[in-house]
mmCIF file of all heavy atoms in Angstrom:
data_model
loop_
_atom_site.group_PDB
_atom_site.id
_atom_site.type_symbol
_atom_site.label_atom_id
_atom_site.label_comp_id
_atom_site.label_asym_id
_atom_site.label_seq_id
_atom_site.Cartn_x
_atom_site.Cartn_y
_atom_site.Cartn_z
ATOM 1 N N GLN W 121 70.392 83.747 88.598
ATOM 2 C CA GLN W 121 70.700 82.324 88.727
ATOM 3 C C GLN W 121 71.431 81.793 87.494
ATOM 4 O O GLN W 121 72.114 80.774 87.561
ATOM 5 C CB GLN W 121 69.427 81.507 88.976
ATOM 6 C CG GLN W 121 68.743 81.811 90.281
ATOM 7 C CD GLN W 121 69.649 81.641 91.491
ATOM 8 O OE1 GLN W 121 70.431 80.718 91.576
ATOM 9 N NE2 GLN W 121 69.541 82.565 92.429
ATOM 10 N N LYS W 122 71.315 82.507 86.376
ATOM 11 C CA LYS W 122 71.972 82.077 85.146
ATOM 12 C C LYS W 122 73.447 82.474 85.105
ATOM 13 O O LYS W 122 74.194 81.964 84.284
ATOM 14 C CB LYS W 122 71.255 82.683 83.939
ATOM 15 C CG LYS W 122 69.823 82.188 83.787
ATOM 16 C CD LYS W 122 69.143 82.860 82.616
ATOM 17 C CE LYS W 122 67.695 82.413 82.502
ATOM 18 N NZ LYS W 122 67.017 83.046 81.376
ATOM 19 N N VAL W 123 73.848 83.376 85.970
ATOM 20 C CA VAL W 123 75.244 83.822 86.009
ATOM 21 C C VAL W 123 76.111 82.668 86.498
ATOM 22 O O VAL W 123 75.739 81.974 87.447
ATOM 23 C CB VAL W 123 75.387 85.049 86.952
ATOM 24 C CG1 VAL W 123 76.837 85.448 87.132
ATOM 25 C CG2 VAL W 123 74.576 86.219 86.414
ATOM 26 N N PRO W 124 77.271 82.431 85.863
ATOM 27 C CA PRO W 124 78.154 81.340 86.314
ATOM 28 C C PRO W 124 78.456 81.437 87.800
ATOM 29 O O PRO W 124 78.617 82.531 88.349
ATOM 30 C CB PRO W 124 79.426 81.546 85.480
ATOM 31 C CG PRO W 124 78.951 82.257 84.252
ATOM 32 C CD PRO W 124 77.817 83.144 84.712
ATOM 33 N N SER W 125 78.535 80.283 88.448
ATOM 34 C CA SER W 125 78.654 80.232 89.910
ATOM 35 C C SER W 125 79.863 80.990 90.452
ATOM 36 O O SER W 125 79.787 81.574 91.524
ATOM 37 C CB SER W 125 78.687 78.783 90.388
ATOM 38 O OG SER W 125 79.795 78.125 89.821
ATOM 39 N N VAL W 126 80.965 81.012 89.727
ATOM 40 C CA VAL W 126 82.157 81.699 90.218
ATOM 41 C C VAL W 126 81.918 83.213 90.350
ATOM 42 O O VAL W 126 82.525 83.877 91.178
ATOM 43 C CB VAL W 126 83.395 81.408 89.328
ATOM 44 C CG1 VAL W 126 83.263 82.083 87.963
ATOM 45 C CG2 VAL W 126 84.678 81.823 90.018
ATOM 46 N N TYR W 127 80.986 83.744 89.557
ATOM 47 C CA TYR W 127 80.670 85.175 89.600
ATOM 48 C C TYR W 127 79.421 85.472 90.433
ATOM 49 O O TYR W 127 79.200 86.596 90.848
ATOM 50 C CB TYR W 127 80.434 85.720 88.192
ATOM 51 C CG TYR W 127 81.512 85.403 87.199
ATOM 52 C CD1 TYR W 127 81.196 84.987 85.919
ATOM 53 C CD2 TYR W 127 82.857 85.520 87.538
ATOM 54 C CE1 TYR W 127 82.184 84.693 84.994
ATOM 55 C CE2 TYR W 127 83.847 85.230 86.626
ATOM 56 C CZ TYR W 127 83.509 84.821 85.353
ATOM 57 O OH TYR W 127 84.475 84.535 84.453
ATOM 58 N N HIS W 128 78.589 84.454 90.640
ATOM 59 C CA HIS W 128 77.282 84.660 91.273
ATOM 60 C C HIS W 128 77.391 85.230 92.688
ATOM 61 O O HIS W 128 76.732 86.209 93.026
ATOM 62 C CB HIS W 128 76.489 83.350 91.272
ATOM 63 C CG HIS W 128 75.112 83.505 91.801
ATOM 64 N ND1 HIS W 128 74.798 83.263 93.116
ATOM 65 C CD2 HIS W 128 73.967 83.904 91.198
ATOM 66 C CE1 HIS W 128 73.511 83.499 93.302
ATOM 67 N NE2 HIS W 128 72.987 83.887 92.157
ATOM 68 N N LYS W 129 78.202 84.610 93.539
ATOM 69 C CA LYS W 129 78.288 85.036 94.941
ATOM 70 C C LYS W 129 78.854 86.448 95.076
ATOM 71 O O LYS W 129 78.261 87.282 95.768
ATOM 72 C CB LYS W 129 79.109 84.020 95.760
ATOM 73 C CG LYS W 129 79.089 84.288 97.238
ATOM 74 C CD LYS W 129 77.715 84.056 97.836
ATOM 75 C CE LYS W 129 77.754 84.210 99.330
ATOM 76 N NZ LYS W 129 76.455 84.130 99.948
ATOM 77 N N PRO W 130 79.989 86.781 94.405
ATOM 78 C CA PRO W 130 80.479 88.166 94.512
ATOM 79 C C PRO W 130 79.453 89.178 93.991
ATOM 80 O O PRO W 130 79.267 90.237 94.590
ATOM 81 C CB PRO W 130 81.743 88.184 93.644
ATOM 82 C CG PRO W 130 82.171 86.773 93.516
ATOM 83 C CD PRO W 130 80.930 85.947 93.643
ATOM 84 N N LEU W 131 78.767 88.838 92.904
ATOM 85 C CA LEU W 131 77.779 89.743 92.339
ATOM 86 C C LEU W 131 76.605 89.941 93.287
ATOM 87 O O LEU W 131 76.143 91.061 93.502
ATOM 88 C CB LEU W 131 77.299 89.217 90.980
ATOM 89 C CG LEU W 131 76.316 90.096 90.217
ATOM 90 C CD1 LEU W 131 76.922 91.462 89.922
ATOM 91 C CD2 LEU W 131 75.873 89.420 88.938
ATOM 92 N N THR W 132 76.134 88.860 93.877
ATOM 93 C CA THR W 132 75.025 88.938 94.825
ATOM 94 C C THR W 132 75.396 89.801 96.028
ATOM 95 O O THR W 132 74.608 90.656 96.453
ATOM 96 C CB THR W 132 74.623 87.518 95.294
ATOM 97 O OG1 THR W 132 74.307 86.730 94.143
ATOM 98 C CG2 THR W 132 73.426 87.574 96.208
ATOM 99 N N LEU W 133 76.596 89.593 96.558
ATOM 100 C CA LEU W 133 77.042 90.401 97.701
ATOM 101 C C LEU W 133 77.201 91.867 97.314
ATOM 102 O O LEU W 133 76.854 92.772 98.078
ATOM 103 C CB LEU W 133 78.360 89.853 98.256
ATOM 104 C CG LEU W 133 78.270 88.469 98.920
ATOM 105 C CD1 LEU W 133 79.665 87.930 99.220
ATOM 106 C CD2 LEU W 133 77.432 88.529 100.184
ATOM 107 N N TYR W 134 77.722 92.110 96.115
ATOM 108 C CA TYR W 134 77.903 93.485 95.633
ATOM 109 C C TYR W 134 76.546 94.176 95.493
ATOM 110 O O TYR W 134 76.370 95.322 95.907
ATOM 111 C CB TYR W 134 78.651 93.470 94.305
ATOM 112 C CG TYR W 134 78.873 94.831 93.723
ATOM 113 C CD1 TYR W 134 79.846 95.685 94.251
ATOM 114 C CD2 TYR W 134 78.126 95.282 92.642
ATOM 115 C CE1 TYR W 134 80.054 96.939 93.722
ATOM 116 C CE2 TYR W 134 78.326 96.531 92.107
ATOM 117 C CZ TYR W 134 79.296 97.361 92.641
ATOM 118 O OH TYR W 134 79.488 98.612 92.110
ATOM 119 N N LEU W 135 75.589 93.465 94.915
ATOM 120 C CA LEU W 135 74.255 94.038 94.739
ATOM 121 C C LEU W 135 73.548 94.257 96.074
ATOM 122 O O LEU W 135 72.651 95.088 96.178
ATOM 123 C CB LEU W 135 73.407 93.140 93.832
ATOM 124 C CG LEU W 135 73.862 93.077 92.373
ATOM 125 C CD1 LEU W 135 73.050 92.027 91.611
ATOM 126 C CD2 LEU W 135 73.753 94.436 91.697
ATOM 127 N N ALA W 136 73.988 93.522 97.099
ATOM 128 C CA ALA W 136 73.420 93.695 98.439
ATOM 129 C C ALA W 136 74.053 94.896 99.156
ATOM 130 O O ALA W 136 73.709 95.193 100.291
ATOM 131 C CB ALA W 136 73.621 92.426 99.257
ATOM 132 N N GLY W 137 75.012 95.547 98.498
ATOM 133 C CA GLY W 137 75.601 96.751 99.069
ATOM 134 C C GLY W 137 76.899 96.546 99.821
ATOM 135 O O GLY W 137 77.377 97.446 100.503
ATOM 136 N N ARG W 138 77.476 95.358 99.716
ATOM 137 C CA ARG W 138 78.737 95.102 100.405
ATOM 138 C C ARG W 138 79.889 95.792 99.694
ATOM 139 O O ARG W 138 79.871 95.954 98.479
ATOM 140 C CB ARG W 138 79.031 93.598 100.455
ATOM 141 C CG ARG W 138 77.981 92.783 101.143
ATOM 142 C CD ARG W 138 78.171 92.814 102.661
ATOM 143 N NE ARG W 138 77.185 92.042 103.367
ATOM 144 C CZ ARG W 138 77.230 90.734 103.529
ATOM 145 N NH1 ARG W 138 78.218 90.042 103.043
ATOM 146 N NH2 ARG W 138 76.271 90.122 104.189
ATOM 147 N N THR W 139 80.915 96.169 100.459
ATOM 148 C CA THR W 139 82.111 96.776 99.879
ATOM 149 C C THR W 139 83.013 95.674 99.325
ATOM 150 O O THR W 139 82.853 94.499 99.661
ATOM 151 C CB THR W 139 82.907 97.574 100.929
ATOM 152 O OG1 THR W 139 83.413 96.657 101.908
ATOM 153 C CG2 THR W 139 82.041 98.639 101.590
ATOM 154 N N MET W 140 83.982 96.082 98.513
ATOM 155 C CA MET W 140 84.943 95.116 97.962
ATOM 156 C C MET W 140 85.679 94.403 99.101
ATOM 157 O O MET W 140 85.905 93.197 99.048
ATOM 158 C CB MET W 140 85.974 95.804 97.066
ATOM 159 C CG MET W 140 85.399 96.460 95.859
ATOM 160 S SD MET W 140 84.821 95.245 94.678
ATOM 161 C CE MET W 140 84.060 96.313 93.499
ATOM 162 N N HIS W 141 86.033 95.174 100.121
ATOM 163 C CA HIS W 141 86.750 94.615 101.265
ATOM 164 C C HIS W 141 85.894 93.564 101.972
ATOM 165 O O HIS W 141 86.377 92.482 102.308
ATOM 166 C CB HIS W 141 87.147 95.738 102.220
ATOM 167 C CG HIS W 141 87.870 95.262 103.438
ATOM 168 N ND1 HIS W 141 89.166 94.811 103.393
ATOM 169 C CD2 HIS W 141 87.473 95.151 104.730
ATOM 170 C CE1 HIS W 141 89.542 94.444 104.610
ATOM 171 N NE2 HIS W 141 88.528 94.647 105.437
ATOM 172 N N GLU W 142 84.625 93.869 102.193
ATOM 173 C CA GLU W 142 83.728 92.934 102.873
ATOM 174 C C GLU W 142 83.521 91.655 102.051
ATOM 175 O O GLU W 142 83.520 90.550 102.600
ATOM 176 C CB GLU W 142 82.372 93.597 103.144
ATOM 177 C CG GLU W 142 82.430 94.705 104.170
ATOM 178 C CD GLU W 142 81.153 95.529 104.232
ATOM 179 O OE1 GLU W 142 80.392 95.592 103.242
ATOM 180 O OE2 GLU W 142 80.919 96.139 105.291
ATOM 181 N N ILE W 143 83.375 91.825 100.746
ATOM 182 C CA ILE W 143 83.181 90.658 99.880
ATOM 183 C C ILE W 143 84.434 89.784 99.904
ATOM 184 O O ILE W 143 84.347 88.562 100.044
ATOM 185 C CB ILE W 143 82.846 91.096 98.437
ATOM 186 C CG1 ILE W 143 81.511 91.853 98.403
ATOM 187 C CG2 ILE W 143 82.805 89.883 97.497
ATOM 188 C CD1 ILE W 143 81.216 92.536 97.082
ATOM 189 N N ALA W 144 85.591 90.420 99.786
ATOM 190 C CA ALA W 144 86.857 89.674 99.799
ATOM 191 C C ALA W 144 87.008 88.905 101.108
ATOM 192 O O ALA W 144 87.395 87.729 101.107
ATOM 193 C CB ALA W 144 88.027 90.632 99.603
ATOM 194 N N PHE W 145 86.688 89.558 102.211
ATOM 195 C CA PHE W 145 86.801 88.910 103.519
ATOM 196 C C PHE W 145 85.844 87.730 103.616
ATOM 197 O O PHE W 145 86.224 86.647 104.036
ATOM 198 C CB PHE W 145 86.528 89.931 104.630
ATOM 199 C CG PHE W 145 86.633 89.350 106.007
ATOM 200 C CD1 PHE W 145 87.867 89.102 106.576
ATOM 201 C CD2 PHE W 145 85.483 89.042 106.733
ATOM 202 C CE1 PHE W 145 87.973 88.556 107.845
ATOM 203 C CE2 PHE W 145 85.571 88.493 108.006
ATOM 204 C CZ PHE W 145 86.823 88.252 108.561
#
Side-chain angles (χ1 to χ4, degrees):
Q121 295 304 320
K122 296 178 183 180
V123 174
S125 60
V126 70
Y127 309 137
H128 185 266
K129 188 68 175 174
L131 183 60
T132 304
L133 293 171
Y134 179 75
L135 292 173
R138 301 278 180 81
T139 66
M140 297 290 174
H141 179 73
E142 292 169 336
I143 296 170
F145 180 77

